[in-house]
Amino acid sequence: MSVTIKDIAKIAGVSYSTVSKALNDSPLVKPTTKSRILKVAKEMGYEPNYAAQRLVSKQTKIIGLIWPTIERVVLSTLVTNISNEIRKTPYSMILSVEPFEASLDTFKRFQVDGIIFFDEHIDISIESNHIPLLTYGVAEKKVNHYPIIDANHEQAMFEAIKYLHSNLGHKKIAYIGDFSKTDRMQMEKLNGFKKAMKHFGLTINHHFLVDTKGLDWYDGYYAVSKLLESTERPTAIVGGSYDISGGIIRGIKEKQLQIPNDISIISYDNIPQMANMEIPLTSIGVPIEQLATEIVHSIIELIENKNLHPNIRKMKPELNIRKSCGRVNT
Amino acid sequence: MSVTIKDIAKIAGVSYSTVSKALNDSPLVKPTTKSRILKVAKEMGYEPNYAAQRLVSKQTKIIGLIWPTIERVVLSTLVTNISNEIRKTPYSMILSVEPFEASLDTFKRFQVDGIIFFDEHIDISIESNHIPLLTYGVAEKKVNHYPIIDANHEQAMFEAIKYLHSNLGHKKIAYIGDFSKTDRMQMEKLNGFKKAMKHFGLTINHHFLVDTKGLDWYDGYYAVSKLLESTERPTAIVGGSYDISGGIIRGIKEKQLQIPNDISIISYDNIPQMANMEIPLTSIGVPIEQLATEIVHSIIELIENKNLHPNIRKMKPELNIRKSCGRVNT
DNA sequence: TTGTATGCGTTATCAC
DNA sequence: GTGATAACGCATACAA
């Protein structure tokens, strides 16, 4: 059995209610006894029992994160950042990698104070039993059932094309990404690309729109290989994700093409790893730490105030210029 | 406030202990009253308070998994498999990505029934407050403080060399892996390689032993590039992990070398993704599903019997022959 | 077959 | 400052 405040009380020679106060840093207990109690507690390896705390105080100080697709690098980086950010607050985080519904169930049982999830293609009007729910995903025109942190993929694409076109003179720009019809984030990226091209009066060569049908390294690799087989080549490529872009780089190199001399590449996702690639990648997207910070602050605000204003938070993407883009060759 | 069993009792005109029994489908309560109570409960929208349940029943049916290094593919595949396996049992799994000690604290507070962790380079004689602890790691000669599932890396290396040498005739074999002095799994692999080479009377060219200083894709890539700069090349390479091997393949291709004609490669780690690489990789290691199954069954056995026999379980590595190894050119 | 009483580990409200 | 004591919602041994 684990150690309780009663055990501590016995050893420290005080009543357990005093122990409780000391543990909660109450001003009602004398500093000397307080520190003595704390010392004993530490020695005994005391850990408060969430169930008991929850039962009386209606709070667990736990945030649950649902993450069924654990094998994607970008998300794992985000999760790490969220975890680090939460560690700076009084809350802790636990994670469930089970399917959405099962995860929700587990978290309900634990009565976590709030839940974060990634809205990839879940279509849910969720019964969360009043547990505050926050999603990182895409704000829709229609009703949103819960607050959303939106990385503003459309805007990001706009900035990417603007840079490529207005600053560097590119006209023949390709997009290599996942054309999923169910993953809203991916849909937004593709959509944003098309819109931006149109905005700058650029025509989209349809064979410059390459569906990777996935988000992994080799998806990007295969896609770019196919794209470059044609003699009609783009002067710049926008890669739909970190992993995809990694594959794109290799595919380009394999064709003996130079980056950025022969071809420029700009990648979606703004994570530090971008700088460590074979060629430091110019990238676009909301910086991952900002995203994490916003997500964490928002869920806590939601937990503590029971609402969030505004309910939808669109983040501001940033362009990170590194070494993979150059002026177009004329 | 939400509805409790007392509220139900009042409406249904019974005592609340009867309600409790009815809700738990106890045979001690008459079917008619049981169904009446259930009906009332449903009408009132009763939701059990898990904190209260947990407080009294001493069981959570939750297994905690500690996983501080979430960005490695092999482990995320293992975690997925473990999660799937646990889902077949009455248990659920939650995960903590915080540093080891912090995770342990969190799980203690949750009173999880058991904890799984990856023993990468934690040197712990842990105070788990009697929560059953199981590790996936390397069994040591000295005392082990808790049960271990050991993937038997040494044996795996032996099988790899045996195949390469006895079946395919290779003599000039290189090992590209992480030579960490703190990560026991990596130490075992290197050690196993050396032992096996010796066993088969093969000499180790020291420049065929390449330290990647990491476990990522580009670590393998850089390492093999360096290795292949020399004119004295191996005819076969053993890659220390899935990610490393991915990089090795690219590095080899870049030098215009054919796999397996010019050079054979066999990778450590036995995960399905191996088949999806550019070249389906022949690999060695305990099949990941077997590993997951063993881990899950063991922790549950440990939870339910309070002990595990045997305390150390060495798994049997399997060779998966795919398309990356060929007979040595003579 | 049903009801009563007790305790799980905490916090919080009182007295002392 | 400190210590009893009453909740919190539930399961369960025991009584009826």
Short mmCIF file of all heavy atoms in Angstrom, two decimals, chain B residues 14 41 46 55 61 75-76 87 89 108 122 134 147 172 174 190 196 229 243 309 313 316:
data_model
loop_
_atom_site.label_atom_id
_atom_site.label_comp_id
_atom_site.label_asym_id
_atom_site.label_seq_id
_atom_site.Cartn_x
_atom_site.Cartn_y
_atom_site.Cartn_z
N VAL B 14 -35.26 2.38 -2.48
CA VAL B 14 -34.44 1.33 -1.86
C VAL B 14 -33.25 1.99 -1.17
O VAL B 14 -33.09 3.20 -1.23
CB VAL B 14 -33.91 0.32 -2.92
CG1 VAL B 14 -35.05 -0.51 -3.50
CG2 VAL B 14 -33.15 1.06 -4.01
N ALA B 41 -31.91 4.71 -12.87
CA ALA B 41 -30.56 5.23 -13.05
C ALA B 41 -30.41 5.84 -14.44
O ALA B 41 -29.88 6.94 -14.62
CB ALA B 41 -29.54 4.13 -12.85
N TYR B 46 -27.54 8.81 -14.71
CA TYR B 46 -26.47 8.53 -13.75
C TYR B 46 -25.15 8.20 -14.43
O TYR B 46 -25.10 7.45 -15.40
CB TYR B 46 -26.88 7.36 -12.85
CG TYR B 46 -25.76 6.83 -12.00
CD1 TYR B 46 -25.33 7.53 -10.88
CD2 TYR B 46 -25.12 5.64 -12.32
CE1 TYR B 46 -24.30 7.06 -10.10
CE2 TYR B 46 -24.08 5.16 -11.55
CZ TYR B 46 -23.67 5.87 -10.43
OH TYR B 46 -22.65 5.39 -9.67
N LEU B 55 -11.17 4.92 -5.34
CA LEU B 55 -10.73 5.12 -3.97
C LEU B 55 -11.02 3.88 -3.12
O LEU B 55 -10.21 3.47 -2.31
CB LEU B 55 -11.47 6.32 -3.38
CG LEU B 55 -10.91 6.87 -2.08
CD1 LEU B 55 -9.44 7.22 -2.26
CD2 LEU B 55 -11.69 8.09 -1.65
N LYS B 61 -7.19 -0.88 -13.20
CA LYS B 61 -7.15 -1.56 -14.49
C LYS B 61 -6.46 -0.69 -15.54
O LYS B 61 -6.86 -0.64 -16.70
CB LYS B 61 -8.58 -1.90 -14.96
CG LYS B 61 -9.23 -3.01 -14.15
CD LYS B 61 -8.63 -4.36 -14.51
CE LYS B 61 -9.19 -5.44 -13.59
NZ LYS B 61 -8.37 -6.66 -13.66
N LEU B 75 10.47 2.64 -31.30
CA LEU B 75 9.73 2.63 -30.05
C LEU B 75 8.28 2.99 -30.26
O LEU B 75 7.39 2.42 -29.63
CB LEU B 75 10.39 3.55 -29.04
CG LEU B 75 11.69 3.01 -28.46
CD1 LEU B 75 12.20 3.92 -27.36
CD2 LEU B 75 11.50 1.59 -27.92
N SER B 76 8.01 3.91 -31.17
CA SER B 76 6.60 4.26 -31.34
C SER B 76 5.84 3.09 -31.93
O SER B 76 4.69 2.85 -31.59
CB SER B 76 6.43 5.55 -32.15
OG SER B 76 6.85 5.38 -33.46
N ARG B 87 -5.35 -3.42 -25.35
CA ARG B 87 -6.77 -3.23 -25.65
C ARG B 87 -7.53 -4.56 -25.72
O ARG B 87 -8.75 -4.59 -25.62
CB ARG B 87 -6.93 -2.45 -26.95
CG ARG B 87 -8.25 -1.75 -27.04
CD ARG B 87 -8.12 -0.25 -27.23
NE ARG B 87 -6.86 0.06 -27.89
CZ ARG B 87 -6.64 -0.08 -29.19
NH1 ARG B 87 -7.60 -0.50 -29.98
NH2 ARG B 87 -5.48 0.24 -29.70
N THR B 89 -7.19 -6.80 -23.55
CA THR B 89 -7.36 -7.24 -22.17
C THR B 89 -8.32 -6.29 -21.45
O THR B 89 -8.76 -5.31 -22.04
CB THR B 89 -6.01 -7.21 -21.44
OG1 THR B 89 -5.67 -5.84 -21.14
CG2 THR B 89 -4.91 -7.82 -22.28
N LYS B 108 2.16 7.03 -9.83
CA LYS B 108 1.86 6.68 -8.44
C LYS B 108 0.59 7.38 -8.01
O LYS B 108 -0.27 6.79 -7.37
CB LYS B 108 3.01 7.14 -7.54
CG LYS B 108 4.17 6.19 -7.47
CD LYS B 108 5.07 6.60 -6.30
CE LYS B 108 6.53 6.42 -6.63
NZ LYS B 108 7.39 7.13 -5.66
N ILE B 122 18.66 4.42 -18.07
CA ILE B 122 18.31 4.83 -16.72
C ILE B 122 18.98 3.85 -15.77
O ILE B 122 18.89 2.64 -15.96
CB ILE B 122 16.79 4.74 -16.51
CG1 ILE B 122 16.09 5.30 -17.73
CG2 ILE B 122 16.39 5.42 -15.24
CD1 ILE B 122 14.68 4.79 -17.86
N LEU B 134 7.83 -3.27 -14.86
CA LEU B 134 8.42 -4.19 -15.83
C LEU B 134 9.21 -3.37 -16.83
O LEU B 134 8.77 -2.30 -17.24
CB LEU B 134 7.31 -4.95 -16.56
CG LEU B 134 7.76 -5.90 -17.65
CD1 LEU B 134 8.22 -7.23 -17.06
CD2 LEU B 134 6.63 -6.15 -18.64
N PRO B 147 11.52 -7.27 -13.12
CA PRO B 147 11.49 -8.20 -14.25
C PRO B 147 11.84 -7.49 -15.56
O PRO B 147 11.52 -6.33 -15.75
CB PRO B 147 10.04 -8.66 -14.26
CG PRO B 147 9.55 -8.45 -12.88
CD PRO B 147 10.25 -7.23 -12.40
N LYS B 172 33.88 -9.82 -45.14
CA LYS B 172 34.14 -8.41 -44.81
C LYS B 172 32.82 -7.76 -44.42
O LYS B 172 32.09 -7.22 -45.26
CB LYS B 172 34.78 -7.72 -46.01
CG LYS B 172 36.20 -8.22 -46.26
CD LYS B 172 36.63 -8.06 -47.70
CE LYS B 172 36.92 -6.61 -48.04
NZ LYS B 172 37.42 -6.49 -49.45
N ALA B 174 30.67 -5.10 -42.02
CA ALA B 174 30.77 -3.88 -41.21
C ALA B 174 29.56 -3.75 -40.29
O ALA B 174 28.49 -4.31 -40.56
CB ALA B 174 30.85 -2.66 -42.12
N LEU B 190 26.56 -3.95 -30.26
CA LEU B 190 27.95 -3.86 -30.66
C LEU B 190 28.73 -5.06 -30.13
O LEU B 190 29.49 -5.72 -30.86
CB LEU B 190 28.55 -2.56 -30.11
CG LEU B 190 30.05 -2.36 -30.34
CD1 LEU B 190 30.38 -2.40 -31.82
CD2 LEU B 190 30.52 -1.04 -29.73
N ALA B 196 30.16 -12.41 -32.24
CA ALA B 196 29.77 -13.29 -33.34
C ALA B 196 30.87 -13.38 -34.39
O ALA B 196 31.18 -14.45 -34.90
CB ALA B 196 28.46 -12.80 -33.96
N GLU B 229 33.79 5.97 -48.34
CA GLU B 229 34.81 6.80 -48.95
C GLU B 229 36.10 6.01 -49.15
O GLU B 229 36.83 6.20 -50.10
CB GLU B 229 35.11 8.01 -48.06
CG GLU B 229 34.19 9.18 -48.34
CD GLU B 229 34.27 10.21 -47.23
OE1 GLU B 229 35.22 10.17 -46.43
OE2 GLU B 229 33.34 11.05 -47.17
N ASP B 243 15.94 3.08 -38.36
CA ASP B 243 16.21 4.41 -38.90
C ASP B 243 17.61 4.49 -39.50
O ASP B 243 17.80 5.00 -40.59
CB ASP B 243 16.05 5.46 -37.81
CG ASP B 243 14.65 5.46 -37.23
OD1 ASP B 243 13.77 6.08 -37.82
OD2 ASP B 243 14.45 4.81 -36.19
N HIS B 309 7.53 -15.49 -13.11
CA HIS B 309 8.55 -16.53 -13.27
C HIS B 309 8.62 -16.97 -14.71
O HIS B 309 7.60 -17.32 -15.28
CB HIS B 309 8.23 -17.74 -12.39
CG HIS B 309 8.47 -17.47 -10.95
ND1 HIS B 309 9.70 -17.10 -10.45
CD2 HIS B 309 7.62 -17.48 -9.89
CE1 HIS B 309 9.60 -16.92 -9.15
NE2 HIS B 309 8.36 -17.13 -8.78
N ARG B 313 13.00 -12.59 -19.12
CA ARG B 313 12.54 -13.34 -20.29
C ARG B 313 13.29 -12.89 -21.54
O ARG B 313 13.09 -11.80 -22.04
CB ARG B 313 11.04 -13.15 -20.46
CG ARG B 313 10.30 -13.68 -19.25
CD ARG B 313 8.82 -13.78 -19.45
NE ARG B 313 8.24 -14.52 -18.32
CZ ARG B 313 6.95 -14.74 -18.16
NH1 ARG B 313 6.08 -14.31 -19.07
NH2 ARG B 313 6.51 -15.42 -17.12
N LYS B 316 13.24 -14.63 -28.53
CA LYS B 316 13.99 -15.26 -29.60
C LYS B 316 13.94 -14.41 -30.87
O LYS B 316 12.88 -14.21 -31.46
CB LYS B 316 13.38 -16.64 -29.88
CG LYS B 316 14.19 -17.50 -30.80
CD LYS B 316 13.70 -18.94 -30.75
CE LYS B 316 14.35 -19.79 -31.83
NZ LYS B 316 14.16 -19.26 -33.19
#
